[in-house]
Amino acid sequence: MALQTASMLPASFSIPKEGKIGASLKDSTLFGVSSLSDSLKGDFTSSALRCKRELRQKVGAVRAETAAPATPAVNKSSSEGKKTLRKGNVVITGASSGLGLATAKALAESGKWHVIMACRDYLKAARAAKSAGLAKENYTIMHLDLASLDSVRQFVDNFRRSEMPLDVLINNAAVYFPTAKEPSFTADGFEISVGTNHLGHFLLSRLLLEDLKKSDYPSKRLIIVGSITGNTNTLAGNVPPKANLGDLRGLAGGLTGLNSSAMIDGGDFDGAKAYKDSKVCNMLTMQEFHRRYHEETGITFASLYPGCIATTGLFREHIPLFRTLFPPFQKYITKGYVSEEESGKRLAQVVSDPSLTKSGVYWSWNNASASFENQLSQEASDAEKARKVWEVSEKLVGLA
Ligand code: NDP
Ligand code: PMR
């Protein structure tokens, strides 16, 4: 199997933007005292060659395992005339930690799903799967770096070579750089939060839509993880800096931070805002998929806010004091806290619960952990903006 060299190289680099001034909440509050991380290095280790070898072996193994892709989703057992469902195949991006890993565990342990862990760091994913106790036959790891469009395309090729049908795609991976003073960029030159969280997933979803369409699984789903902090109709969404995509002038300029702004709205760089903006794009993309493809394909498109999983790696770039105080703050003050395990069960519900098949929905959970259809903010449900984000994004990722 051929692997592009590019998919094994660091996919992000950082350039300082001149003349950056401007202070924001992140510079001055307890929850955001700035300590610029020096660790935008990605997780590409000197073991890249070993990864490559292992990936070859793994994908080889997958091909052997799935040598009979023609198995229909529903089999009729001849003796009893009973219908049985084959295991579903679910791709989870960023399954090496946090919500993604917890969801992989919940789905794999249900015995109904084979999980394809789409991860940028193969060895980290392998260790995570092992320590979470995933049984070997229930998962496959495939390399995917969302901060590189080449890597996204390579992942899709590799996945297709495995000959597994695709039944559900979960766009879960994300990065968050709240203390960054200057933007960093993906391999293709996009500001890294929107480039990874939105544009990488946008290309992945557009390409894998074809594979989802081909699946004969009874309930096919494409899920994008959203968040409360991108929704300005909530208290959490009103903590500055607030999400705001403006007229998309920065996005249209490619978020390069050179001749155009690194921010979607064209404003000064703010890492926390870039993350929240990327979540708005995620939620808008889900709805645009729904409008364009639900009726024709029957695929369920959904997003969700899984609760505040205050202990995950998402906050790894935040200052230590934040990481210490954030979990008790969410547990005892906002009461928005949810454990990684519980959040994984919630996302697993969105993947496979027969009562959550409605398309175009943004799911949330109440204090009793019951799911409900939540209301998106005005901006995150603006159909015209969703169309524009879609059209600009497809140009940026080379689909139009
Ligand atoms: P984690 O940091 O634990 O997980 C993020 C995952 O994304 C990791 O596996 C990480 O890989 C992966 N990832 C990051 N960059 C890339 C990339 N370039 N290519 C491929 N994978 C990448 O955070 P969470 O589990 O908290 O976040 C999961 C999702 O949940 C995100 O979409 C986040 O926005 C959302 N969310 C989280 C909330 C929370 O409170 N934590 C609340 C609301 C939503 P690696 O392990 O290699 O770093
Ligand atoms: Mg929040 C009900 C109130 C609530 C909830 C559910 C969250 C979730 N937050 C709430 C309130 C507040 N937060 C308040 C009142 C404050 C000011 C003290 C506050 C602050 C705060 C900070 C500085 N909160 C944060 C941060 C972050 O850096 C996190 C963030 O925005 O990441 C993007 C965050 C979060 N608060 C949440 C959730 C779920 C997050 C992080 C995860 C995310 O949106 O992906």
Side-chain angles (χ1 to χ4, degrees), residues 31 176 227 229 236 239 275-276 305 308 318 322 326 330 334:
F31 274 139
Y176 175 42
S227 182
T229 53
V239 174
Y275 170 88
K276 293 175 190 179
Y305 166 57
C308 186
H318 229 309
F322 176 89
F326 193 52
Q330 292 294 344
T334 73

Side-chain angles (χ1 to χ4, degrees), residues 96-97 99 120 124 145-146 172 275 279 309 312 316:
S96 52
S97 72
L99 176 62
R120 62 177 165 175
K124 182 177 175 185
D145 184 351
L146 289 156
N172 161 77
Y275 170 88
K279 290 284 118 184
I309 330 158
T312 71
R316 68 187 95 176

Side-chain angles (χ1 to χ4, degrees), residues 190-206:
F190 307 128
E191 184 284 319
I192 198 161
S193 316
V194 176
T196 306
N197 308 355
H198 166 57
L199 292 170
H201 278 135
F202 181 80
L203 177 61
L204 181 72
S205 304
R206 287 287 302 273

Side-chain angles (χ1 to χ4, degrees), residues 234-268:
T234 63
L235 173 59
N238 275 292
V239 174
K242 291 201 242 179
N244 179 7
L245 308 189
D247 63 3
L248 307 181
R249 68 180 66 182
L251 186 67
L255 302 174
T256 61
L258 295 169
N259 297 324
S260 80
S261 164
M263 300 296 291
I264 292 181
D265 65 359
D268 285 344

